[in-house]
Amino acid sequence: STWDGKFLAKKIPKKPSAVLSAQSTLTTETTKNYQNLPKELEEAQFFDVMLSWGHQKTVNRIKNFLDSHFRVWIDTREMKGDIFSAMQIAVSKSKIIAPCLSAAYDKDSDNCKRELEYAAVLKKGLTPIRMDKGPFSWSEFITVGQLYIDLDGLDPDVHTSKWNEQMESLCNQIRTKISGSSEKHKNTQLENDPLAI
């Protein structure tokens, strides 16, 4: 079965050297767009995980599940003021970024692309969630090599037990990455973003 436990987390292939070189260029170019940190960034609260999404209503179900385990940033609840400043704060102040990847996310959402590119600039932990089969282009480019949660074809109202298994797997990945990245962030935060965690 596609949803057997051994398929709870799948892995996107590792980055070839050409991809790493291209991502270095992406990082340099994207950094130029975020040179001036807004004052509110310093005063903003911290979050465990940020949900970055496009047009998937299922994301609210993910948010509701994660809320009982983590401090979650999602735009429908936390977005205030200027959209670009709010996006910058969200990425900078979140320990883990969980992009909810879909064909719509990859094709139609420039803001989602900005969020994920900035997360790459700050070397944030990524836990991708695949909502459908894509196709994916730039989002797969940024998340290549990462374990991802596969929700393609899974209806939370129909496949309740399988949905809960996936959510538990998501929580475990987030916990592991938060724990494993704590020391790394301490050593690199001044290099990348003096206000990042």
Side-chain angles (χ1 to χ4, degrees), residues 76-155:
T76 54
R77 180 171 59 195
E78 306 293 343
M79 184 75 76
K80 301 178 180 68
D82 175 71
I83 186 172
F84 295 113
S85 294
M87 289 162 52
Q88 183 181 12
I89 290 171
V91 176
S92 296
K93 292 293 188 175
S94 297
K95 297 175 184 177
I96 302 297
I97 310 302
C100 298
L101 308 181
S102 66
Y105 181 103
D106 199 284
K107 181 181 180 181
D108 300 327
S109 183
D110 291 337
N111 288 338
C112 289
K113 185 175 183 180
R114 291 187 182 97
E115 290 171 348
L116 204 52
E117 286 181 344
Y118 191 42
V121 168
L122 299 185
K123 299 180 181 179
K124 293 289 183 175
L126 299 177
T127 300
I129 305 169
R130 286 201 171 178
M131 312 297 286
D132 57 34
K133 287 183 171 63
F136 305 107
S137 56
W138 64 264
S139 62
E140 186 170 49
F141 175 78
I142 295 176
T143 59
V144 66
Q146 302 288 330
L147 286 173
Y148 67 92
I149 300 298
D150 192 350
L151 298 183
D152 177 41
L154 193 61
D155 185 335

Side-chain angles (χ1 to χ4, degrees), residues 17-193:
S17 57
V19 171
L20 291 171
S21 176
Q23 282 197 337
S24 177
T25 300
L26 177 150
T27 297
T28 301
E29 294 177 350
T30 305
T31 303
K32 295 177 183 178
N33 297 324
Y34 294 95
Q35 291 298 318
N36 299 317
L37 296 176
K39 178 182 178 182
E40 56 265 32
L41 180 57
E42 184 176 2
E43 303 170 350
Q45 59 186 321
F46 293 99
F47 293 86
D48 295 311
V49 58
M50 172 195 179
L51 283 173
S52 175
W53 60 285
H55 306 290
Q56 293 288 335
K57 62 182 180 181
T58 307
V59 171
N60 282 329
R61 299 290 291 272
I62 298 174
K63 182 260 300 177
N64 291 340
F65 189 94
L66 293 180
D67 272 341
S68 61
H69 302 276
F70 306 102
R71 188 172 186 84
V72 180
W73 193 99
I74 187 169
D75 58 356
T76 54
R77 180 171 59 195
E78 306 293 343
M79 184 75 76
K80 301 178 180 68
D82 175 71
I83 186 172
F84 295 113
S85 294
M87 289 162 52
Q88 183 181 12
I89 290 171
V91 176
S92 296
K93 292 293 188 175
S94 297
K95 297 175 184 177
I96 302 297
I97 310 302
C100 298
L101 308 181
S102 66
Y105 181 103
D106 199 284
K107 181 181 180 181
D108 300 327
S109 183
D110 291 337
N111 288 338
C112 289
K113 185 175 183 180
R114 291 187 182 97
E115 290 171 348
L116 204 52
E117 286 181 344
Y118 191 42
V121 168
L122 299 185
K123 299 180 181 179
K124 293 289 183 175
L126 299 177
T127 300
I129 305 169
R130 286 201 171 178
M131 312 297 286
D132 57 34
K133 287 183 171 63
F136 305 107
S137 56
W138 64 264
S139 62
E140 186 170 49
F141 175 78
I142 295 176
T143 59
V144 66
Q146 302 288 330
L147 286 173
Y148 67 92
I149 300 298
D150 192 350
L151 298 183
D152 177 41
L154 193 61
D155 185 335
D157 293 320
V158 177
H159 310 98
T160 305
S161 62
K162 298 299 184 182
W163 170 268
N164 289 336
E165 287 177 6
Q166 295 293 306
M167 293 299 98
E168 289 296 340
S169 181
L170 174 60
C171 286
N172 289 337
Q173 282 200 45
I174 293 172
R175 290 191 189 99
T176 298
K177 290 189 176 183
I178 288 176
S179 175
S181 65
S182 295
E183 191 60 35
K184 178 181 177 181
H185 279 297
K186 289 180 183 178
N187 295 333
T188 62
Q189 61 182 352
L190 292 179
E191 175 186 349
N192 298 290
D193 183 348

